[in-house]
Amino acid sequence: MTSDIIRRLAAVDGIMFDIDGCLVLSDGPSGRGGVALPGAAEMIARTRDSGRRLCAFTNGTAQRPSDIAAHLRALGIEVADDEVLTPAVAAARVIRERYADAPVLAYGGDGVVSVLRDHGITLVDPDDHASGAQCGAVAVLVGWDTDFAKPKLQFAAEAILAGAALYCTSDAPAFASQDRLNVGVSGFITAGLSHVTGRPWTVLGKPSEYAMDTVCWALGTTPARTLVVGDDVYLESGMARRAGAVAGIVLTGMATRETIADATAEDVPDLVVDSMPELAALFAEADLLRLALATGADR
Ligand SMILES: [Mg+2]
Protein backbone atom coordinates (compact mmCIF):
# COMPACT_ATOMS: atom_id res chain seq x y z
CA MET A 1 0.00 0.00 0.00
CA THR A 2 1.29 3.45 -0.88
CA SER A 3 1.92 5.67 2.12
CA ASP A 4 0.54 9.17 2.36
CA ILE A 5 3.98 10.78 2.17
CA ILE A 6 4.82 8.89 -1.05
CA ARG A 7 1.56 10.17 -2.55
CA ARG A 8 2.45 13.73 -1.56
CA LEU A 9 5.98 13.40 -2.98
CA ALA A 10 4.54 12.01 -6.21
CA ALA A 11 2.54 15.24 -6.57
CA VAL A 12 5.59 17.47 -6.00
CA ASP A 13 6.61 19.53 -9.05
CA GLY A 14 9.35 21.61 -7.42
CA ILE A 15 11.85 21.23 -4.57
CA MET A 16 13.50 23.91 -2.49
CA PHE A 17 16.77 22.77 -0.94
CA ASP A 18 18.32 24.68 1.95
CA ILE A 19 22.10 25.00 1.54
CA ASP A 20 23.95 24.97 4.91
CA GLY A 21 23.40 21.65 6.70
CA CYS A 22 21.36 20.29 3.79
CA LEU A 23 23.47 20.40 0.60
CA VAL A 24 26.80 21.40 2.16
CA LEU A 25 28.57 21.79 5.47
CA SER A 26 30.48 25.01 5.08
CA ASP A 27 33.12 27.01 6.85
CA GLY A 28 31.00 30.15 6.62
CA PRO A 29 27.58 31.35 5.49
CA SER A 30 25.98 30.43 2.17
CA GLY A 31 28.14 27.44 1.41
CA ARG A 32 31.46 29.27 1.64
CA GLY A 33 34.31 26.77 1.88
CA GLY A 34 33.29 23.39 3.19
CA VAL A 35 32.18 20.16 1.61
CA ALA A 36 29.16 18.77 -0.21
CA LEU A 37 27.07 16.49 1.99
CA PRO A 38 26.84 12.85 0.84
CA GLY A 39 24.24 12.37 -1.89
CA ALA A 40 23.49 16.09 -2.30
CA ALA A 41 24.86 16.36 -5.84
CA GLU A 42 23.06 13.14 -6.83
CA MET A 43 19.75 14.35 -5.35
CA ILE A 44 19.97 17.61 -7.32
CA ALA A 45 20.71 15.66 -10.51
CA ARG A 46 17.87 13.18 -9.93
CA THR A 47 15.42 16.02 -9.22
CA ARG A 48 16.31 17.61 -12.55
CA ASP A 49 16.16 14.25 -14.38
CA SER A 50 12.68 13.63 -12.96
CA GLY A 51 11.43 16.79 -14.69
CA ARG A 52 10.92 18.73 -11.46
CA ARG A 53 12.05 22.31 -10.91
CA LEU A 54 14.50 23.03 -8.11
CA CYS A 55 16.04 25.90 -6.22
CA ALA A 56 18.59 26.30 -3.43
CA PHE A 57 17.61 28.88 -0.80
CA THR A 58 20.06 30.05 1.85
CA ASN A 59 19.24 32.67 4.46
CA GLY A 60 22.81 33.95 4.08
CA THR A 61 23.22 37.30 2.33
CA ALA A 62 27.00 37.59 2.47
CA GLN A 63 27.28 36.62 -1.21
CA ARG A 64 25.35 37.18 -4.44
CA PRO A 65 23.21 34.26 -5.63
CA SER A 66 25.45 33.85 -8.69
CA ASP A 67 28.55 33.56 -6.45
CA ILE A 68 26.82 30.98 -4.26
CA ALA A 69 25.79 29.02 -7.37
CA ALA A 70 29.37 29.03 -8.68
CA HIS A 71 30.62 27.75 -5.34
CA LEU A 72 28.04 24.95 -5.26
CA ARG A 73 29.02 23.93 -8.80
CA ALA A 74 32.67 23.84 -7.70
CA LEU A 75 31.58 21.30 -5.06
CA GLY A 76 29.88 19.21 -7.77
CA ILE A 77 26.33 20.42 -7.04
CA GLU A 78 24.94 21.51 -10.42
CA VAL A 79 22.70 24.51 -9.90
CA ALA A 80 22.26 27.44 -12.26
CA ASP A 81 22.77 31.04 -11.11
CA ASP A 82 19.05 31.78 -11.20
CA GLU A 83 18.25 28.64 -9.21
CA VAL A 84 19.87 30.13 -6.09
CA LEU A 85 17.66 32.29 -3.87
CA THR A 86 18.54 34.41 -0.85
CA PRO A 87 16.45 36.72 1.35
CA ALA A 88 17.81 39.58 -0.76
CA VAL A 89 15.79 38.23 -3.70
CA ALA A 90 12.65 37.99 -1.55
CA ALA A 91 13.34 41.48 -0.17
CA ALA A 92 13.73 42.96 -3.65
CA ARG A 93 10.35 41.52 -4.69
CA VAL A 94 8.58 42.78 -1.53
CA ILE A 95 10.19 46.24 -1.69
CA ARG A 96 9.38 46.70 -5.39
CA GLU A 97 5.78 45.75 -4.78
CA ARG A 98 5.30 47.93 -1.68
CA TYR A 99 7.42 50.97 -2.44
CA ALA A 100 8.11 50.95 -6.20
CA ASP A 101 10.92 53.49 -6.80
CA ALA A 102 11.04 55.06 -3.30
CA PRO A 103 14.51 55.13 -1.71
CA VAL A 104 15.62 52.30 0.58
CA LEU A 105 18.47 52.19 3.07
CA ALA A 106 20.19 48.79 2.83
CA TYR A 107 22.96 47.26 4.96
CA GLY A 108 25.11 44.38 3.79
CA GLY A 109 27.70 43.64 1.17
CA ASP A 110 27.29 42.77 -2.47
CA GLY A 111 24.92 39.97 -1.51
CA VAL A 112 22.36 42.58 -0.49
CA VAL A 113 23.17 45.76 -2.39
CA SER A 114 23.82 44.34 -5.85
CA VAL A 115 20.70 42.13 -5.71
CA LEU A 116 18.52 45.14 -4.85
CA ARG A 117 20.12 47.20 -7.62
CA ASP A 118 19.58 44.38 -10.11
CA HIS A 119 15.86 44.53 -9.25
CA GLY A 120 15.75 48.29 -9.85
CA ILE A 121 15.53 49.36 -6.18
CA THR A 122 16.67 52.94 -5.47
CA LEU A 123 19.23 52.90 -2.66
CA VAL A 124 20.04 55.71 -0.24
CA ASP A 125 23.71 56.76 -0.06
CA PRO A 126 24.25 57.85 3.57
CA ASP A 127 27.14 60.08 2.45
CA ASP A 128 24.62 62.30 0.62
CA HIS A 129 22.67 63.13 3.78
CA ALA A 130 23.42 64.94 7.03
CA SER A 131 21.33 62.48 9.04
CA GLY A 132 19.15 59.42 8.66
CA ALA A 133 16.13 61.53 9.54
CA GLN A 134 16.59 63.53 6.33
CA CYS A 135 17.50 60.71 3.92
CA GLY A 136 13.90 60.03 2.87
CA ALA A 137 14.18 56.23 3.20
CA VAL A 138 10.83 54.43 3.24
CA ALA A 139 12.46 51.22 4.42
CA VAL A 140 15.63 49.99 6.14
CA LEU A 141 16.78 46.50 5.14
CA VAL A 142 19.41 44.80 7.29
CA GLY A 143 21.44 41.91 5.87
CA TRP A 144 24.83 40.35 6.60
CA ASP A 145 26.84 43.51 7.45
CA THR A 146 29.93 42.70 9.51
CA ASP A 147 30.99 46.39 9.60
CA PHE A 148 27.88 47.69 11.30
CA ALA A 149 29.27 50.15 13.89
CA LYS A 150 28.03 53.35 15.57
CA PRO A 151 27.74 55.62 12.50
CA LYS A 152 25.50 53.09 10.71
CA LEU A 153 23.52 52.44 13.89
CA GLN A 154 22.93 56.19 14.33
CA PHE A 155 21.91 56.79 10.70
CA ALA A 156 19.63 53.74 10.45
CA ALA A 157 17.94 54.48 13.79
CA GLU A 158 17.24 58.07 12.68
CA ALA A 159 15.70 56.83 9.43
CA ILE A 160 13.50 54.34 11.31
CA LEU A 161 12.38 56.96 13.85
CA ALA A 162 11.53 59.25 10.90
CA GLY A 163 9.16 56.58 9.60
CA ALA A 164 11.12 53.99 7.61
CA ALA A 165 9.91 50.41 8.09
CA LEU A 166 12.50 47.95 9.46
CA TYR A 167 13.16 44.73 7.54
CA CYS A 168 15.61 41.93 8.18
CA THR A 169 16.92 39.29 5.77
CA SER A 170 17.16 36.67 8.52
CA ASP A 171 16.97 36.77 12.30
CA ALA A 172 18.06 33.17 12.72
CA PRO A 173 20.38 33.01 15.76
CA ALA A 174 22.78 30.52 14.15
CA PHE A 175 23.28 28.06 11.30
CA ALA A 176 25.14 24.78 10.83
CA SER A 177 28.77 24.78 9.72
CA GLN A 178 31.59 22.25 9.87
CA ASP A 179 33.02 22.73 13.34
CA ARG A 180 30.49 24.70 15.32
CA LEU A 181 27.31 26.74 15.25
CA ASN A 182 27.93 29.91 13.26
CA VAL A 183 26.08 32.84 14.81
CA GLY A 184 23.94 35.14 12.66
CA VAL A 185 24.73 38.81 12.07
CA SER A 186 21.58 40.24 10.43
CA GLY A 187 19.23 39.40 13.29
CA PHE A 188 21.74 40.66 15.84
CA ILE A 189 21.83 44.10 14.17
CA THR A 190 18.07 44.21 13.59
CA ALA A 191 17.23 43.32 17.18
CA GLY A 192 19.58 46.09 18.28
CA LEU A 193 17.92 48.62 15.96
CA SER A 194 14.52 47.55 17.25
CA HIS A 195 15.80 48.01 20.80
CA VAL A 196 17.05 51.56 20.24
CA THR A 197 14.02 52.70 18.17
CA GLY A 198 11.21 50.74 19.83
CA ARG A 199 9.98 49.68 16.38
CA PRO A 200 9.25 46.08 15.33
CA TRP A 201 10.86 44.34 12.35
CA THR A 202 9.68 42.09 9.55
CA VAL A 203 11.75 39.11 8.37
CA LEU A 204 11.79 38.62 4.59
CA GLY A 205 13.93 35.45 4.45
CA LYS A 206 13.00 32.02 5.79
CA PRO A 207 10.67 31.25 7.61
CA SER A 208 8.54 34.16 6.37
CA GLU A 209 5.59 33.92 3.98
CA TYR A 210 7.56 36.24 1.66
CA ALA A 211 10.36 33.68 1.37
CA MET A 212 7.89 30.86 0.70
CA ASP A 213 6.12 32.99 -1.90
CA THR A 214 9.47 33.68 -3.58
CA VAL A 215 10.20 29.92 -3.66
CA CYS A 216 6.89 29.15 -5.39
CA TRP A 217 7.41 32.08 -7.78
CA ALA A 218 10.88 30.79 -8.72
CA LEU A 219 9.68 27.19 -9.08
CA GLY A 220 6.42 28.02 -10.84
CA THR A 221 4.59 25.81 -8.32
CA THR A 222 1.83 26.03 -5.76
CA PRO A 223 2.73 25.25 -2.13
CA ALA A 224 0.89 21.91 -2.23
CA ARG A 225 3.13 20.82 -5.11
CA THR A 226 6.32 22.07 -3.45
CA LEU A 227 8.70 20.18 -1.15
CA VAL A 228 10.85 22.26 1.18
CA VAL A 229 13.94 20.36 2.36
CA GLY A 230 16.05 21.81 5.13
CA ASP A 231 17.94 21.02 8.32
CA ASP A 232 16.17 23.53 10.57
CA VAL A 233 12.71 22.78 11.95
CA TYR A 234 11.84 26.43 12.63
CA LEU A 235 13.24 27.95 9.42
CA GLU A 236 12.25 25.40 6.80
CA SER A 237 9.71 23.00 8.24
CA GLY A 238 7.64 25.72 9.92
CA MET A 239 7.66 27.86 6.78
CA ALA A 240 6.53 24.96 4.60
CA ARG A 241 3.82 23.77 7.00
CA ARG A 242 2.21 27.21 7.36
CA ALA A 243 1.99 27.54 3.58
CA GLY A 244 0.67 24.02 3.00
CA ALA A 245 3.86 22.81 1.30
CA VAL A 246 5.45 19.43 2.07
CA ALA A 247 8.02 19.86 4.87
CA GLY A 248 11.11 17.64 4.84
CA ILE A 249 13.96 17.65 7.35
CA VAL A 250 17.34 16.02 6.74
CA LEU A 251 19.33 15.22 9.88
CA THR A 252 22.71 16.43 8.61
CA GLY A 253 22.65 19.90 10.17
CA MET A 254 20.80 21.70 12.95
CA ALA A 255 17.88 19.37 13.63
CA THR A 256 18.08 16.12 15.59
CA ARG A 257 15.35 13.60 16.39
CA GLU A 258 15.27 15.16 19.88
CA THR A 259 14.75 18.75 18.64
CA ILE A 260 12.04 17.53 16.27
CA ALA A 261 10.29 15.78 19.17
CA ASP A 262 10.40 19.07 21.08
CA ALA A 263 9.19 21.23 18.15
CA THR A 264 5.88 23.07 18.34
CA ALA A 265 3.08 21.27 16.50
CA GLU A 266 3.03 23.66 13.52
CA ASP A 267 6.78 23.20 12.89
CA VAL A 268 6.80 19.37 12.92
CA PRO A 269 7.97 18.13 9.49
CA ASP A 270 5.92 15.81 7.28
CA LEU A 271 9.05 13.81 6.53
CA VAL A 272 12.37 13.17 8.33
CA VAL A 273 15.34 11.50 6.63
CA ASP A 274 18.84 10.81 7.91
CA SER A 275 20.48 11.72 4.63
CA MET A 276 19.98 12.80 1.01
CA PRO A 277 20.29 9.22 -0.31
CA GLU A 278 17.34 8.29 1.91
CA LEU A 279 15.31 11.14 0.36
CA ALA A 280 16.35 10.00 -3.13
CA ALA A 281 15.10 6.48 -2.33
CA LEU A 282 11.70 7.86 -1.30
CA PHE A 283 11.52 9.80 -4.58
CA ALA A 284 12.39 6.66 -6.54
CA GLU A 285 9.26 5.11 -5.02
CA ALA A 286 7.22 8.30 -5.54
CA ASP A 287 8.25 8.46 -9.20
CA LEU A 288 6.89 4.96 -9.83
CA LEU A 289 3.55 6.14 -8.46
CA ARG A 290 3.80 9.39 -10.48
CA LEU A 291 4.36 7.38 -13.64
CA ALA A 292 1.53 5.00 -12.80
CA LEU A 293 -0.85 7.91 -12.19
CA ALA A 294 0.22 9.59 -15.42
CA THR A 295 -0.42 6.44 -17.44
CA GLY A 296 -3.63 5.59 -15.61
CA ALA A 297 -2.24 2.33 -14.27
CA ASP A 298 -2.88 3.16 -10.59
CA ARG A 299 -6.61 2.43 -10.40
MG1 LIG B 1 20.44 25.14 7.03
Side-chain angles (χ1 to χ4, degrees), residues 37 64-65 68 70 102 115 136 147 166 182 216-217 238 294:
L37 280 160
R64 294 179 302 178
I68 297 167
V115 174
D147 299 318
L166 177 58
N182 226 317
C216 289
W217 164 78

Side-chain angles (χ1 to χ4, degrees), residues 18-22 175-176 206 230-232 235-236 254:
D18 171 48
I19 297 182
D20 295 302
C22 184
F175 53 91
K206 297 178 290 187
D231 70 306
D232 189 303
L235 288 183
E236 283 102 21
M254 297 283 285

